[in-house]
């Protein structure tokens, strides 16, 4: 009985002495995502329907899923739960040139932000009409591109795999598309 209490005491002592892994960087990224989610949520209310509403909702859902993945990683670190990922049945490990990829993505994001500033400036020149809507769609598309790249950057930064929707199977590295099977496809 005495040995049982000794073991319990040692287990509690050792658990209390261990360091909790730092999650400051993930928490900082989650804070930035929270701020952006609030801004986009307010923007969603401006568009009750149509293409602009769809583009804004895509951006919102991308931000929310990125935040959820980072929160999962943070909780795993805090609770000492090792989170591992498998891609095609093989354990995921980040690319060896990860830092190079991160720098390239940062540069791409900066280039897109410059394009966004130009697009917003151009769209502000018009008050209404078809041209205004087309320019607003361009602004929303560039914002979505930034969010997608930012998601990819954050996931790579925190060793979470990024799943591409369209695999490249052809020799030219162009996305390959399979047509819908059936007889009616030939009519189009």
């Amino acid at each position: 009985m005495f040995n049982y209490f000794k073991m319990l005491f040692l287990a509690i002592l050792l658990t209390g002495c261990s360091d909790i892994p730092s999650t400051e960087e993930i928490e900082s990224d989650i804070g930035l995502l929270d701020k952006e989610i609030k801004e986009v949520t307010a923007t969603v209310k401006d568009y009750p329907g149509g293409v602009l509403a769809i583009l804004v909702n895509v951006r919102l859902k991308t931000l929310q899923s990125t935040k959820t993945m980072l929160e999962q990683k943070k909780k795993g670190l805090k609770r000492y739960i090792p989170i591992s990922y498998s891609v095609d049945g093989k354990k995921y490990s980040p690319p060896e040139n990860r830092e190079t990829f991160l720098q390239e993505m940062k540069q791409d994001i900066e280039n897109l932000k410059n394009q966004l500033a130009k697009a917003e400036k151009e769209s502000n020149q018009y008050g209404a009409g078809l041209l205004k809507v087309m320019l607003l769609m361009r602004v929303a598309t560039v914002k979505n591109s930034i969010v997608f790249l930012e998601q990819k950057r954050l996931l790579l930064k925190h060793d979470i795999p990024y799943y591409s929707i369209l695999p490249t199977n052809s020799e030219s590295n162009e996305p390959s598309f399979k047509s819908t099977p059936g007889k009616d496809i030939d009519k189009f």
Side-chain angles (χ1 to χ4, degrees), residues 61-77:
K61 296 301 179 189
T62 304
L63 289 166
Q64 289 171 337
S65 68
T66 305
K67 178 185 171 193
T68 301
M69 287 185 270
L70 292 180
E71 284 177 337
Q72 176 191 25
K73 181 79 172 194
K74 180 182 94 172
K75 287 176 183 174
L77 288 172

Side-chain angles (χ1 to χ4, degrees), residues 6-21:
K6 265 187 183 175
M7 295 299 258
L8 182 63
F9 177 73
L10 283 174
I12 292 171
L13 181 68
L14 290 175
T15 303
C17 293
S18 62
D19 292 330
I20 296 174

Side-chain angles (χ1 to χ4, degrees), residues 6-173:
K6 265 187 183 175
M7 295 299 258
L8 182 63
F9 177 73
L10 283 174
I12 292 171
L13 181 68
L14 290 175
T15 303
C17 293
S18 62
D19 292 330
I20 296 174
S22 175
T23 57
E24 290 177 16
E25 201 169 349
I26 290 178
E27 288 172 356
S28 170
D29 290 335
I30 290 172
L32 293 173
L33 286 169
D34 277 334
K35 179 183 168 198
E36 202 167 343
I37 287 170
K38 285 179 186 174
E39 291 171 8
V40 175
T41 302
T43 306
V44 166
K45 295 174 186 173
D46 294 340
Y47 302 106
V51 176
L52 288 172
I54 292 169
L55 290 171
V56 172
N57 276 308
V58 166
R59 190 165 77 241
L60 178 62
K61 296 301 179 189
T62 304
L63 289 166
Q64 289 171 337
S65 68
T66 305
K67 178 185 171 193
T68 301
M69 287 185 270
L70 292 180
E71 284 177 337
Q72 176 191 25
K73 181 79 172 194
K74 180 182 94 172
K75 287 176 183 174
L77 288 172
K78 281 190 167 186
R79 295 183 178 137
Y80 300 102
I81 300 171
I83 298 176
S84 62
Y85 303 94
S86 296
V87 179
D88 296 330
K90 298 174 190 156
K91 185 176 178 176
Y92 169 77
S93 58
E96 293 175 11
N97 54 351
R98 181 176 110 172
E99 292 304 318
T100 305
F101 281 144
L102 288 171
Q103 290 301 321
E104 288 174 1
M105 281 189 254
K106 271 188 175 180
Q107 185 59 46
D108 289 343
I109 290 169
E110 286 305 313
N111 292 341
L112 283 171
K113 285 181 178 179
N114 291 337
Q115 288 180 18
L116 177 62
K118 290 177 187 175
E120 286 177 333
K121 183 179 178 184
E122 191 175 352
S123 72
N124 289 335
Q125 294 175 354
Y126 300 93
L130 181 61
L131 192 53
K132 173 74 172 184
V133 171
M134 296 296 286
L135 291 170
L136 286 174
M137 284 177 24
R138 181 175 165 217
V139 167
T141 303
V142 173
K143 284 182 178 181
N144 282 355
S145 297
I146 291 170
V147 167
F148 295 145
L149 260 180
E150 191 64 35
Q151 179 185 50
K152 190 173 183 177
R153 187 187 71 78
L154 286 172
L155 296 181
L156 181 62
K157 176 181 173 184
H158 297 292
D159 297 332
I160 303 171
Y162 180 80
Y163 295 99
S164 297
I165 295 173
L166 298 174
T168 54
N169 293 333
S170 64
E171 293 172 7
S172 66
N173 285 334

